Amino acid sequence: MKEISITTNFTAYTAVNELPNDIQSLMEQAIAVRKNAYAPYSKFRVGTAILLDNGKIVLGSNQENAAYPSGLCAERVAIFHAGAIYPEAKILKMAITAASDTNKTSSPIPPCGACRQSIAEYETKQDTPIEIYFMGEIGDIYKSESLKNLLPFMFDKNFL
Ligand code: THU
């Protein structure tokens, strides 16, 4: 018997204006598109901005549904849209922000498990890491150098 441990690492920034310039702009676009969330049920708005290696930025916000599971998170709206219109482009960076209409989110809000699995698919496909920056409405921004930090021991095509 042996113990196996996995360590993951993040960088914390304390304010948007402390981010590198390109990421600051990406996060500002995520903040702006967050307003477009269709979130009448949860009142929880998420915005995502994705930078591709062709220079394009693709945005997404969460889209809810009266049949709750039929809705989709902002991260998957954005990444599926990027895959649909630029199938050959690599995803370089993602900025994610989440804000509630009912309380101020002040800690970094990471992508949910299903979104992590979806992002993992693209990272595996392109074989280069995707930088992920995530925050609440205010407060620290966390940076992950790769999706792998958020989903260690992930399931991918290599197991099939
Ligand atoms: N949501 C996202 O858009 N991304 C996540 O990673 C977590 C949750 C959305 C789904 C739903 O519309 C609302 O936030 C509350 O869960």
Side-chain angles (χ1 to χ4, degrees):
M1 197 274 270
K2 63 175 178 175
E3 296 288 334
I4 298 167
S5 66
I6 302 176
T7 307
T8 70
N9 293 293
F10 297 89
T11 307
Y13 297 85
T14 56
V16 173
N17 63 14
E18 198 186 286
L19 293 167
N21 284 347
D22 60 331
I23 304 303
Q24 198 172 315
S25 158
L26 204 62
M27 188 58 85
E28 279 162 3
Q29 292 182 68
I31 291 167
V33 78
R34 198 179 67 198
K35 295 187 190 71
N36 297 348
Y38 176 60
Y41 305 106
S42 71
K43 317 278 188 213
F44 191 79
R45 299 172 183 276
V46 186
T48 302
I50 293 178
L51 174 66
L52 303 174
D53 70 348
N54 61 10
K56 302 284 184 190
I57 290 176
V58 179
L59 307 174
S61 62
N62 52 321
Q63 301 295 315
E64 297 186 347
N65 194 284
Y68 291 2
S70 299
L72 198 62
C73 293
E75 296 89 328
R76 277 176 287 165
V77 168
I79 207 163
F80 292 162
H81 191 201
I85 57 176
Y86 302 113
E88 306 304 332
K90 287 190 175 193
I91 297 163
L92 301 179
K93 300 166 195 224
M94 286 183 82
I96 305 164
T97 172
S100 169
D101 289 347
T102 57
N103 63 294
K104 225 177 187 54
T105 53
S106 58
S107 53
I109 299 182
C112 78
C115 287
R116 295 179 202 199
Q117 185 65 33
S118 295
I119 300 165
E121 185 68 27
Y122 290 87
E123 198 172 87
T124 306
K125 174 186 168 224
Q126 68 186 37
D127 202 25
T128 52
I130 300 173
E131 273 179 30
I132 302 170
Y133 295 77
F134 53 97
M135 66 179 296
E137 185 174 357
I138 55 169
D140 284 0
I141 303 107
Y142 280 6
K143 171 194 178 185
S144 172
E145 292 281 359
S146 158
L147 184 276
K148 291 189 177 73
N149 294 339
L150 283 160
L151 191 62
F153 205 33
M154 71 190 197
F155 179 82
D156 65 24
K157 65 181 181 184
N158 299 312
F159 292 111
L160 296 175

